């Protein structure tokens, strides 16, 4: 009996070619696994295609719920964004897919796990590191990293092997999609000076086509997690799906990022992330109301580490768990409602409220009812300004005198 390999299968050109290639090159039986994290249209068609192309078994799984609850929401609680721009959609999905591949590989007594990543991107790192961490016993194979075929050659290889070549193959773009966002690379986008053509966008309307009236929406949070939209309780998947539609309709969530990949390359990435854009902004607005200044300052440092480690494929690490524990603890009081105005590509926070709000009107007001003791300020300022005053007297005024006398 030949060895078995579990392949992360998307139904696209590369992973379809990989089914035949794994057989030819390694004499392995392929078990195809298609994981739906929100970017799959017809999962049955994909499952069937794997068999047609030569897989001995083909599985599909709906992982949307665990993706949102166990990967996206922890990132939302953290406000995880890479380099201030990218909400990490693909980076969050890879460790989950790796975990599911490992589960199948164990059940099916496979000896190897394969994925369709090339050798130039971050995704190979995320898959490989996750797999080798969770299950070092499996050999990892990345056909597209090994076979050395160009896109044209891969198409020819597919034709030679009667593998149906999808029409989308003629598209110059490389696209990845899940509930948290959509990424578009390649083609004209490789010139960072060139504005993306309208055709690269699928989730967000062009500003010229967005409604002329704003939409006001309210998002409810409980302990840092979004739980309702306009007063209606929603499970995470539905909430994110509805928000992608709503905000996309107003052209919200387009991102154009020159990104630093882990493998040393700068790349130009276009993203569409309507729900992520709105939720991250709303969540931060609620934190501004419910966390102390000290918590907010410290959390910024944690978040920059947390975002980098997600991007760099280190989800399954003790450090991730440690930081997540801190982040969870910070969310105890992040409960409340945020009001947002969506209009012409903008997502503007226009209101926020919380039972745990640290905003005290009577302290902030300039009107009557002010309870702030202004007589305490001069003493506070005397001490606060003391180091600056002393340093200037000792070091700078002497220097000034010298310069003047010279
Ligand atoms: N640059 C993003 C990231 O590294 C998106 C990658 C999209 N992946 C893909 N195979 N098209 O997470």
């Amino acid at each position: 009996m030949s060895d078995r390999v579990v392949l992360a299968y998307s139904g696209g050109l590369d992973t379809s070619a990989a089914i035949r290639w794994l057989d030819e090159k390694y004499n392995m039986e392929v078990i195809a696994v298609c994981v739906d994290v929100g970017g799959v249209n017809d999962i049955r068609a994909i499952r069937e295609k794997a068999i047609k192309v030569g897989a001995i078994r083909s599985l599909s799984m709906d992982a949307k719920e665990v993706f949102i609850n166990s990967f996206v929401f922890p990132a939302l609680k953290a406000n995880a964004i890479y380099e201030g721009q990218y909400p990490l959609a693909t980076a969050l999905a890879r460790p989950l897919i790796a975990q599911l591949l490992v589960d199948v590989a164990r059940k099916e007594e496979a000896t190897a796990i394969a994925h369709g990543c090339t050798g130039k991107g971050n995704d190979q790192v995320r898959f490989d590191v996750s797999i080798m961490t969770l299950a070092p016993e499996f050999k990892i194979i990345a056909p597209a990293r090994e076979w050395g075929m160009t896109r044209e050659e891969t198409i020819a290889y597919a034709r030679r092997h009667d593998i149906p070549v999808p029409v989308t193959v003629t598209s110059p773009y490389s696209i990845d999609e899940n509930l948290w966002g959509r990424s578009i690379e390649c083609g004209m986008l490789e010139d960072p000076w060139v504005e993306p053509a309208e055709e690269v966008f699928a989730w967000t309307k062009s500003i010229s086509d967005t409604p002329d009236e704003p939409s006001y929406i309210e998002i409810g949070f409980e302990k840092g997690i979004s739980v309702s939209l306009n007063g209606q309780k929603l499970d995470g998947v539905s909430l994110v799906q509805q928000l992608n539609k709503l905000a996309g309709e107003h052209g919200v969530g387009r991102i154009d990022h020159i990104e630093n990949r882990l493998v040393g390359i700068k790349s130009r990435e276009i993203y569409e992330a309507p729900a992520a854009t709105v939720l991250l902004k709303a969540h931060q607005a609620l934190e501004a109301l419910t966390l102390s200044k000290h918590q907010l300052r410290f959390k910024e440092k944690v978040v920059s580490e947390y975002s980098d480690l997600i991007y760099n494929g280190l989800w399954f690490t003790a450090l991730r768990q440690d930081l997540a524990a801190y982040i969870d603890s910070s969310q105890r009081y992040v409960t409340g409602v945020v009001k947002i105005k969506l209009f012409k590509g903008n997502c503007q926070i226009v209101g926020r409220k919380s039972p745990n709000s640290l905003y005290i009107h009577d302290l902030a007001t300039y009107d009557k009812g002010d309870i702030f003791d202004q007589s305490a300020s001069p003493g506070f300022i005397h001490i606060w300004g003391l180091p600056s005053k002393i340093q200037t007297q000792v070091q700078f005024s002497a220097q000034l005198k010298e310069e003047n006398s010279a």
Side-chain angles (χ1 to χ4, degrees):
M1 199 180 94
S2 342
D3 277 356
R4 296 176 153 195
V5 53
V6 170
L7 168 71
Y9 185 65
S10 70
L13 174 68
D14 283 344
T15 52
S16 296
I19 292 180
R20 296 304 295 264
W21 187 86
L22 284 162
D23 172 36
E24 283 185 345
K25 169 92 198 265
Y26 288 100
N27 185 29
M28 281 181 149
E29 294 181 340
V30 177
I31 297 163
V33 177
C34 176
V35 179
D36 181 7
V37 278
V40 176
N41 276 333
D42 187 348
I43 202 160
R44 227 183 89 183
I46 295 176
R47 211 173 51 224
E48 286 167 4
K49 181 170 178 186
I51 296 289
K52 258 185 242 146
V53 171
I56 58 149
R57 256 163 84 59
S58 182
L59 311 170
S60 59
M61 0 190 137
D62 180 349
K64 294 199 282 287
E65 204 179 310
V66 355
F67 179 53
I68 290 293
N69 293 326
S70 305
F71 293 81
V72 169
F73 279 170
L76 174 62
K77 288 193 260 188
N79 304 319
I81 298 181
Y82 184 65
E83 297 184 333
Q85 299 240 55
Y86 168 42
L88 294 162
T90 300
L92 286 163
R94 296 315 190 198
L96 167 59
I97 296 171
Q99 188 176 41
L100 295 170
L101 294 173
V102 164
D103 290 347
V104 174
R106 288 199 168 129
K107 217 177 284 158
E108 300 283 344
E109 295 179 348
T111 55
I113 295 177
H115 57 72
C117 303
T118 69
K120 289 184 73 173
N122 299 309
D123 289 327
Q124 54 167 346
V125 182
R126 297 165 184 152
F127 272 125
D128 288 13
V129 171
S130 298
I131 295 164
M132 70 197 254
T133 302
L134 294 172
E137 68 270 28
F138 294 112
K139 178 183 167 70
I140 300 170
I141 308 175
R145 186 167 62 189
E146 278 182 39
W147 64 33
M149 292 192 279
T150 63
R151 188 122 190 108
E152 290 310 310
E153 288 162 352
T154 313
I155 293 173
Y157 179 90
R159 297 230 158 94
R160 271 204 311 282
H161 289 85
D162 275 331
I163 297 169
V165 176
V167 267
T168 51
V169 154
T170 56
S171 152
Y173 305 115
S174 159
I175 292 164
D176 188 56
E177 257 180 47
N178 66 48
L179 285 167
W180 203 228
R182 178 171 183 271
S183 68
I184 314 102
E185 295 161 84
C186 304
M188 65 166 335
L189 304 173
E190 287 181 353
D191 182 346
W193 178 251
V194 171
E195 181 178 354
E198 233 6 84
E199 65 177 15
V200 312
F201 300 105
W203 291 10
T204 54
K205 281 225 166 114
S206 155
I207 300 301
S208 51
D209 298 331
T210 59
D212 290 323
E213 293 297 321
S215 290
Y216 286 87
I217 58 171
E218 290 185 8
I219 296 169
F221 287 87
E222 261 166 40
K223 297 191 173 157
I225 288 171
S226 48
V227 293
S228 70
L229 180 59
N230 295 328
Q232 193 197 352
K233 286 253 171 222
L234 284 176
D235 65 275
V237 173
S238 313
L239 190 141
V240 169
Q241 281 171 334
Q242 290 189 24
L243 215 44
N244 271 329
K245 281 233 166 62
L246 263 169
E249 201 51 35
H250 284 278
V252 168
R254 291 187 178 184
I255 299 159
D256 182 339
H257 183 202
I258 299 295
E259 183 170 296
N260 289 292
R261 284 192 192 162
L262 180 56
V263 294
I265 301 167
K266 276 193 196 292
S267 70
R268 203 272 186 98
E269 307 276 331
I270 301 297
Y271 299 108
E272 294 185 278
T277 300
V278 173
L279 286 174
L280 286 162
K281 213 166 168 187
H283 178 257
Q284 283 177 59
L286 192 58
E287 284 192 332
L289 196 67
T290 54
L291 297 189
S292 72
K293 175 178 168 182
H294 301 300
Q295 285 176 300
L296 288 166
R297 293 294 179 279
F298 187 73
K299 191 160 177 274
E300 263 172 40
K301 300 181 202 181
V302 174
V303 170
S304 125
E305 282 296 322
Y306 197 70
S307 305
D308 277 359
L309 79 79
I310 292 172
Y311 188 84
N312 293 335
L314 302 179
W315 182 269
F316 294 113
T317 55
L319 178 60
R320 213 277 314 169
Q321 295 174 340
D322 297 345
L323 299 184
Y326 168 75
I327 291 159
D328 277 342
S329 171
S330 75
Q331 300 299 294
R332 280 167 296 169
Y333 299 104
V334 185
T335 293
V337 182
V338 180
K339 186 163 56 181
I340 298 143
K341 180 180 175 178
L342 304 172
F343 190 50
K344 296 287 172 202
N346 289 313
C347 154
Q348 214 179 325
I349 306 296
V350 293
R352 64 292 266 164
K353 62 182 177 185
S354 165
N356 311 319
S357 173
L358 302 175
Y359 177 90
I360 306 298
H361 176 269
D362 290 355
L363 279 175
T365 185
Y366 285 96
D367 293 339
K368 69 173 176 334
D370 182 5
I371 58 167
F372 185 82
D373 178 6
Q374 299 195 30
S375 72
S377 288
F380 163 74
I381 295 164
H382 177 76
I383 293 170
W384 173 246
L386 194 58
S388 317
K389 181 172 118 183
I390 297 295
Q391 183 168 36
T392 304
Q393 279 172 352
V394 172
Q395 298 173 348
F396 298 153
S397 58
Q399 190 187 323
L400 268 180
K401 256 184 236 156
E402 232 166 75
E403 279 167 12
N404 285 341
S405 64

